[in-house]
Amino acid sequence: MAKWSLDKAHSELEFRVKHMMISNVKGLFEDFDVEVTGNPDDISSLHVDVSIGVDSITTKNEQRDQHLRSEDFFHGEKHPKITFKSTHIATAGKDKFHITGDLTIKGITKSIVVDAENGGTAQDPWGNKKIGFTVSGKLKREDFGLTWNTALETGGVMVSSEVKFEGDIQFALS
């Protein structure tokens, strides 16, 4: 069985949400860990655990980031981590699969499905075997207690319900 080591220098976890119903605001989490166990040649044998530091959220606007860390959103002081634990992985086409798992945000756990694509394997110039994945999905933020919002005079709301996320994740295999 291969040992998977997250290559944080070549991995990102981003999200985007519609702001004022007219444009997307993007952000990312700078502190996260992904642990994978199992045989990379047998997708169904894999188990994925993700841990994300709420305080590492950044949207390139410190005032907004502080609001996101507050009780109005993630309540990072009380709930410092977002976690995901896979419960099932199924093939969804060549190099594509669905990861079903339990996502916990703000103390609320719900099952979600994450789409994943295996980008392949390569050997770096130092002889290390690398494997890369792109993951994506969406969720309804209110399902996880992220309910803050403001109605707009022109109709609609300040922050959309749907949050889309994407990650580009690279591992070293040994």
Side-chain angles (χ1 to χ4, degrees):
M1 185 177 322
K3 179 180 179 210
W4 300 67
S5 299
L6 179 64
D7 181 348
K8 289 187 178 187
H10 297 103
S11 299
E12 293 185 334
L13 188 55
E14 303 173 316
F15 64 90
R16 65 186 172 283
V17 63
K18 184 87 59 185
H19 178 254
M20 296 182 60
M21 313 310 293
I22 59 171
S23 65
N24 286 311
V25 169
K26 297 178 182 180
L28 59 90
F29 290 96
E30 295 181 313
D31 177 29
F32 65 94
D33 193 34
V34 182
E35 292 182 13
V36 178
T37 54
N39 180 349
D41 296 323
D42 178 10
I43 294 299
S44 67
S45 77
L46 300 180
H47 183 77
V48 180
D49 283 312
V50 180
S51 178
I52 302 166
V54 168
D55 283 348
S56 74
I57 195 168
T58 181
T59 62
K60 299 181 183 176
N61 179 299
E62 187 56 36
Q63 184 177 358
R64 179 174 48 225
D65 296 347
Q66 288 298 327
H67 190 206
L68 290 169
R69 293 179 192 119
S70 77
E71 291 179 42
D72 282 345
F73 284 94
F74 291 103
H75 199 185
E77 188 174 303
K78 184 175 180 183
H79 304 284
K81 297 286 183 190
I82 297 168
T83 61
F84 175 84
K85 296 181 182 299
S86 68
T87 56
H88 180 71
I89 300 177
T91 301
K94 183 172 177 14
D95 296 325
K96 296 181 183 196
F97 46 100
H98 300 300
I99 305 171
T100 302
D102 294 329
L103 177 66
T104 302
I105 299 174
K106 205 173 177 180
I108 299 169
T109 302
K110 302 276 184 183
S111 181
I112 68 165
V113 177
V114 177
D115 295 324
E117 183 171 0
N118 182 339
T121 59
Q123 188 169 341
D124 71 17
W126 301 274
N128 301 304
K129 185 176 181 181
K130 301 288 186 114
I131 186 168
F133 296 90
T134 298
V135 296
S136 62
K138 57 186 173 182
L139 57 91
K140 183 177 176 184
R141 64 187 182 86
E142 292 88 353
D143 288 348
F144 296 93
L146 306 174
T147 59
W148 182 92
N149 222 335
T150 298
L152 300 174
E153 287 182 23
T154 57
V157 292
M158 182 72 72
V159 183
S160 68
S161 177
E162 183 178 83
V163 178
K164 296 177 181 177
F165 59 88
E166 183 168 293
D168 288 300
I169 313 295
Q170 190 175 116
F171 298 94
L173 297 174
S174 56

